[in-house]
Amino acid sequence: MPYDHRKTRRPALALAVTGCCAVLAGCGATSQAAPSSGTSPATRQESAAAPRPPVADGRPPGSTQPTARGRLPLSGKTVVIDPGHNSGNFRHSREINRKVDIGTTRKECDTTGTSTNAGYTEASFTLDVTHRLRALLTARGAKVVLTHDADRPWGPCIDERARIGNAARADAVVSVHADGSAVGHRGYHVILPARVRGGSADTTAIVGPSRALGERIADRFRRATGTSPANYLGSGTGLDVRSDLGGLNLSTVPKVFVECGNMRDPEDARLLTSAAWRQKAAQGISDGISTYLQG
């Protein structure tokens, strides 16, 4: 769930809220339930089923060997992975409600993200998929940089997330999320930057390569997970172009957001809480990044 959805939101609270795209709101959410103070069954499953990092063969799509010169296929490439939200955001409502400059306007620093009805949070999901994705990309030779690794009490804010990708001169940046839309809204989608020019935002140079990156991730995600593009936006393409996300507007390198599914739909939630499915999701994203970087 990108924090700054186009729909109206309420200010985030410290531990429990309701409302669209507020503290627990997903990108199209209409109702939310805050995670319980205890550890949910899904969270316990997360800890038991997802060692850090997971085992991965690291082979690129269609390849079982390194390149002819013995170099791994993504050697020399830098990929920044941005795990959406931070589990500590729940305890830092004042900090994450602070407005930051995204070039064309000012938006809240971040939100907490959404959760399943059982309390499995988007922040837990995105960090797990990020660890799996890092293992796959590293095995293929890429240098992988994370915007955070649950190593800070909250954040980072979306403007800082963009700066991390820019400073790394990343060949690709992927922000991992899960949506919080209505029940019956199912499937994945990839958010692409619109052409935006205003203030410190200028996406002119990244619109084309970001679309290429997003198209490849959407295709490979479908193949790896067996799931379908979102049935509630994108006209069945699995792609959505937006101009209201600071993380995209401030990027100077190719960047997309991947919404892996809808945490508020029971069927999608069943997939998102499965460690085996999260490995497939990471594989699909990794395959998409690899095909993009290899041309």
Side-chain angles (χ1 to χ4, degrees), residues 46-57:
E46 164 80 16
S47 301
R52 296 172 53 185
V55 176
D57 65 11

Side-chain angles (χ1 to χ4, degrees), residues 35-41 43-44 118-119:
S36 63
S37 58
T39 302
S40 71
T43 304
R44 289 194 294 271

